[in-house]
Amino acid sequence: TARCYFDRTSAPEQESVDDMEERAMALADAAALKKLAVDYMHPEVGVVTSDPTATARCYFDRASAPEQESVEDAEERAMALADAAALKKLAVDYMHPEVGVVTSDPT
């Protein structure tokens, strides 16, 4: 005689259609979140597009583009960044006294 394995008392309870759809939606959400997390954590991976009309714009030649900075402004910015780098080095030296001091005087 044949036994029905689905109607026996020890058979695992079967999911309803609503539960299966809910589980599928939850798994799809988890997969989408995982893809977003991987995209965020690995920016070196390029973006792939399948739209042939997606093209890049030149943001420097458009009419609403900001003006290029002058040479004087660029030099002033470079000096400010150099000062900020020196201040950062001093702050690191102050906050980490365990790092040894290196001298450059050969005598």
Side-chain angles (χ1 to χ4, degrees):
T1 64
R3 291 178 53 179
C4 181
Y5 288 100
F6 300 107
D7 293 337
R8 70 183 194 280
T9 56
S10 63
E13 188 176 326
Q14 291 197 352
E15 284 185 318
S16 68
V17 174
D18 294 335
D19 290 341
M20 288 175 29
E21 289 173 354
E22 187 73 28
R23 179 188 305 261
M25 286 186 351
L27 290 175
D29 286 345
L33 285 173
K34 180 178 179 181
K35 182 182 180 319
L36 287 174
V38 168
D39 290 345
Y40 181 78
M41 291 300 296
H42 298 286
E44 68 274 4
V45 177
V47 177
V48 179
T49 181
S50 61
D51 186 9
T53 62
T55 58
R57 284 178 55 174
C58 180
Y59 289 98
F60 302 105
D61 294 338
R62 69 183 195 279
S64 62
E67 292 184 22
Q68 299 275 333
E69 68 179 350
S70 65
V71 175
E72 294 84 18
D73 289 342
E75 290 173 354
E76 187 174 340
R77 181 188 304 269
M79 287 176 31
L81 289 174
D83 289 344
L87 287 173
K88 179 180 177 183
K89 183 181 179 319
L90 288 174
V92 168
D93 291 344
Y94 181 78
M95 291 301 296
H96 297 285
E98 69 274 5
V99 176
V101 177
V102 179
T103 60
S104 60
D105 188 19
T107 59

